[in-house]
Amino acid sequence: MGETQNKQQEQDLGQLLKVRREKLAALQEKGKDPFQIMKYDVTHHSSEIKEHFDEMEGMHVSLAGRMMSKRIMGKASFCNIQDLKGNIQSYVARDSIGEESYAEFKKYDVGDIIGLEGEVFRTKTGEISIHASKVTLLSKSLQILPEKYHGLVNTDLRYRQRYIDLIMNEEVKDTFIKRFRIISAIRRFLDSQGFMEVETPMLVSNAGGAAARPFETHFNALDEDLKLRISLELPLKRLIVGGLERVYEIGRVFRNEGLDTRHNPEFTLMELYQAYTDYNGMMDLTEKLYRYVAQEVLGTTIITYKGTEMDLGKPFERITMVDAVKKYAGVDFGAINTLEEARAAAGEKGIEYEERHKKGDILNLFFEEYVEEHLIQPTFLMDHPVEISPLTKRKPDNPDYVERFEFFMNGWEMANAYSELNDPIDQRERFKAQEEQFAQGDEEANHTDEDFLNALEIGMPPTGGIGYGIDRMVMLLTDSPAIRDVLLFPTMKTLGKENQ
């Protein structure tokens, strides 16, 4: 019975699609091919008319959008069109647009894109509408939109066909409009602080600046193997050496890693570098940046994510990694002096480590296991072990640790910042240690970058640097459950031909 029903549904759908093509053919035969229309002058969007009705009542306007519903009632009809800013009703009467035009309008389908000209008025039921004097078919929809009241609910299909998702789910469009506003606000803030926006290469011979596996490719013209960048760090630091002092880039980076609710293999990273400051300066900048963006986009510094309230208006907590592990795991690495003692502590707490892991690596494993989930309110997690921070300045009074912080909210890492290492001799030793890690099986270890070392030898001033995960920031500020919900085109497994 179910199979017969499915076949009937397929036949019905096929017939509906056939009818749409026949309507298009009929228009083309009459010399009214909508795909031949080159432009349409739009004077207003739906929300402008609704928000300013008192001033606009009786005004002649021109709008364009997708027809989302249509109700034919003899000599007069109603339709609803959706544009970038929302939707609005139109009253379409035969006597207002003419008999021939009205006959054509009645054949238009939900999903068609139309232009409307007419006067702004309010119906007897109080709905702000357009009394159409002219209706123009601008594009014929040859497919059928999902059923209106159920919308597009299949998440896999939503991500694969984002264009339908944007049409059917208003909150999705709102999320991406907010994403644009967030990035725009970031740029305004940094520009006001004297930063220059720059662009650096995506194809690189040495993908450094982060602990991640790169994607690899081959450049035929030069017969060279190249990688997609995993970070923006090393080229931006070269610009600090060149004297630009304050630079930032917002761009895609690529990491050959897994997919989950917070990870996509290509994502948007922002990194900025400021000469003559340190990681304390980066903390101050981050507080101001987050407050500014939230206030600009949301109108408040208190945000709510999945029912959890986070207050960006208060001073952000600052805690060292050692103190955080002591607080949440009850283990004091300040009193642990040897690798053997660190391994013993890990054994007592059931922390699994590898033979190559040093004391600092084990401290970080404790942090990931016991601390991260507790950092809900805005928190700067400071002073990481040197073993996991190959590009960072050591703390002068405690060289086993570095001047680094990670910014956490909602238990997520939102940013990573350093007092940048500018000692070329120390940097070479750090690269050497990373090469040894790679040789021992760490595929995420950095490789020596001779040109970057040369730049450091030319001389880099004391510098603070930070990288922000833009997608996670958008997730928090839009209350979106997964990174795919804030990426217009998230990475998806390619469908096999049998599934297409």
Side-chain angles (χ1 to χ4, degrees):
M1 178 66 181
E3 191 176 333
T4 306
Q5 217 169 21
N6 287 339
K7 281 184 179 176
Q8 183 60 49
Q9 286 175 345
E10 285 176 18
Q11 287 175 356
D12 292 345
L13 179 61
Q15 183 59 33
L16 289 170
L17 295 175
K18 182 183 174 191
V19 167
R20 291 199 175 204
R21 279 163 172 74
E22 288 171 350
K23 288 179 180 179
L24 174 63
L27 287 166
Q28 290 169 331
E29 282 175 20
K30 291 162 78 173
K32 295 185 175 182
D33 184 352
F35 299 127
Q36 294 300 314
I37 294 177
M38 299 303 178
K39 58 175 288 191
Y40 187 82
D41 291 328
V42 174
T43 62
H44 296 83
H45 282 90
S46 55
S47 64
E48 298 169 59
I49 294 168
K50 289 181 173 180
E51 289 167 13
H52 304 288
F53 174 75
D54 289 343
E55 305 105 83
M56 295 188 66
E57 186 175 11
M59 186 184 292
H60 189 85
V61 296
S62 171
L63 300 90
R66 191 178 300 275
M67 187 162 67
M68 300 302 290
S69 66
K70 186 177 71 167
R71 192 156 41 100
I72 303 292
M73 303 185 311
K75 297 178 183 179
S77 304
F78 285 96
C79 71
N80 192 287
I81 70 162
Q82 178 175 291
D83 60 18
L84 174 68
K85 305 289 181 69
N87 61 79
I88 195 165
Q89 177 179 270
S90 180
Y91 173 69
V92 184
R94 185 187 69 182
D95 294 346
S96 298
I97 69 169
E99 194 164 335
E100 185 181 351
S101 293
Y102 188 66
E104 290 175 354
F105 170 77
K106 289 200 292 184
K107 293 179 181 177
Y108 295 169
D109 293 301
V110 168
D112 289 350
I113 295 173
I114 63 174
L116 283 171
E117 288 181 48
E119 285 189 1
V120 177
F121 81 113
R122 195 190 291 273
T123 65
K124 290 177 183 176
T125 58
E127 185 166 353
I128 295 169
S129 307
I130 308 299
H131 189 145
S133 57
K134 186 177 181 181
V135 182
T136 307
L137 181 63
L138 302 174
S139 183
K140 183 71 187 164
S141 175
L142 300 179
Q143 281 286 354
I144 295 169
L145 294 174
E147 199 269 327
K148 177 183 176 185
Y149 295 104
H150 295 105
L152 187 64
V153 293
N154 181 312
T155 53
D156 188 74
L157 192 60
R158 283 181 51 219
Y159 299 141
R160 291 183 189 279
Q161 299 184 8
R162 182 68 86 188
Y163 43 93
I164 299 179
D165 193 23
L166 289 165
I167 294 167
M168 300 307 300
N169 296 317
E170 190 174 350
E171 68 279 5
V172 172
K173 184 162 66 173
D174 288 344
T175 292
F176 288 105
I177 290 171
K178 275 201 180 100
R179 181 186 174 106
F180 154 73
R181 293 182 61 211
I182 288 164
I183 293 173
S184 178
I186 290 170
R187 285 191 163 105
R188 285 197 305 277
F189 175 79
L190 291 178
D191 292 351
S192 75
Q193 300 295 308
F195 282 85
M196 286 176 54
E197 184 173 10
V198 298
E199 293 175 306
T200 62
M202 291 190 183
L203 285 171
V204 295
S205 57
N206 184 354
R213 288 180 60 188
F215 287 93
E216 299 180 359
T217 188
H218 186 76
F219 183 25
N220 293 332
L222 295 180
D223 192 24
E224 281 187 9
D225 290 329
L226 294 174
K227 300 176 179 67
L228 288 172
R229 67 185 182 187
I230 60 172
S231 168
L232 311 172
E233 180 165 349
L234 301 186
L236 289 177
K237 284 183 177 177
R238 287 170 167 90
L239 299 180
I240 294 292
V241 170
L244 295 188
E245 291 194 5
R246 297 188 184 203
V247 293
Y248 76 98
E249 181 174 7
I250 299 174
R252 283 293 175 98
V253 296
F254 309 86
R255 298 183 181 180
N256 199 348
E257 298 170 344
L259 291 161
D260 62 30
T261 57
R262 282 184 281 157
H263 293 88
N264 195 71
E266 55 174 310
F267 61 97
T268 302
L269 182 65
M270 179 177 78
E271 292 197 30
L272 64 85
Y273 293 85
Q274 179 180 339
Y276 312 115
T277 190
D278 61 4
Y279 76 148
N280 292 301
M282 292 296 100
M283 287 186 227
D284 295 340
L285 185 78
T286 299
E287 285 200 37
K288 291 175 186 174
L289 171 65
Y290 260 78
R291 283 191 196 118
Y292 177 85
V293 171
Q295 191 67 52
E296 284 282 297
V297 177
L298 305 178
T300 177
T301 56
I302 296 176
I303 66 169
T304 302
Y305 185 80
K306 302 297 159 220
T308 300
E309 199 173 89
M310 287 162 269
D311 190 349
L312 294 164
K314 295 178 180 176
F316 297 2
E317 183 183 356
R318 304 185 182 197
I319 186 170
T320 67
M321 184 180 282
V322 169
D323 286 345
V325 168
K326 184 177 179 181
K327 178 178 178 180
Y328 292 106
V331 176
D332 184 4
F333 269 76
I336 291 176
N337 298 310
T338 65
L339 175 59
E340 288 70 29
E341 289 173 359
R343 286 176 171 175
E348 288 174 19
K349 291 286 188 177
I351 298 286
E352 294 184 11
Y353 58 86
E354 297 177 28
E355 188 65 29
R356 63 185 173 83
H357 282 149
K358 297 183 170 60
K359 174 187 158 187
D361 297 299
I362 294 173
L363 169 60
N364 189 52
L365 292 173
F366 266 91
F367 167 74
E368 291 174 350
E369 180 68 28
Y370 284 97
V371 181
E372 269 187 293
E373 63 183 320
H374 297 289
L375 305 182
I376 304 300
Q377 294 302 316
T379 303
F380 293 121
L381 189 282
M382 305 158 50
D383 300 353
H384 296 54
V386 69
E387 291 91 340
I388 63 168
S389 310
L391 299 165
T392 318
K393 268 190 176 179
R394 296 175 193 260
K395 291 182 71 65
D397 57 347
N398 193 349
D400 288 344
Y401 296 88
V402 297
E403 291 198 345
R404 172 184 174 188
F405 73 81
E406 290 173 289
F407 174 48
F408 280 85
M409 285 180 68
N410 194 51
W412 303 349
E413 180 201 335
M414 305 297 293
N416 187 21
Y418 310 151
S419 293
E420 302 296 336
L421 180 62
N422 62 344
D423 177 346
I425 297 168
D426 190 356
Q427 181 64 79
R428 184 174 290 280
E429 289 303 310
R430 307 273 192 100
F431 275 140
K432 184 179 177 183
Q434 286 284 299
E435 294 284 8
E436 289 170 2
Q437 292 286 325
F438 183 79
Q440 293 174 31
D442 184 356
E443 294 182 350
E444 296 185 348
N446 280 227
H447 292 284
T448 303
D449 187 326
E450 289 293 346
D451 182 73
F452 177 64
L453 289 169
N454 184 63
L456 290 187
E457 288 178 0
I458 294 293
M460 185 172 88
T463 297
I466 187 166
Y468 297 89
I470 297 297
D471 305 308
R472 291 186 188 178
M473 185 181 193
V474 175
M475 284 174 68
L476 278 188
L477 293 179
T478 61
D479 201 7
S480 297
I483 192 170
R484 288 180 172 185
D485 295 311
V486 299
L487 298 175
L488 281 166
F489 301 102
T491 302
M492 305 287 289
K493 186 178 177 64
T494 303
L495 290 172
K497 288 184 179 177
E498 70 280 4
N499 295 327
Q500 290 181 339

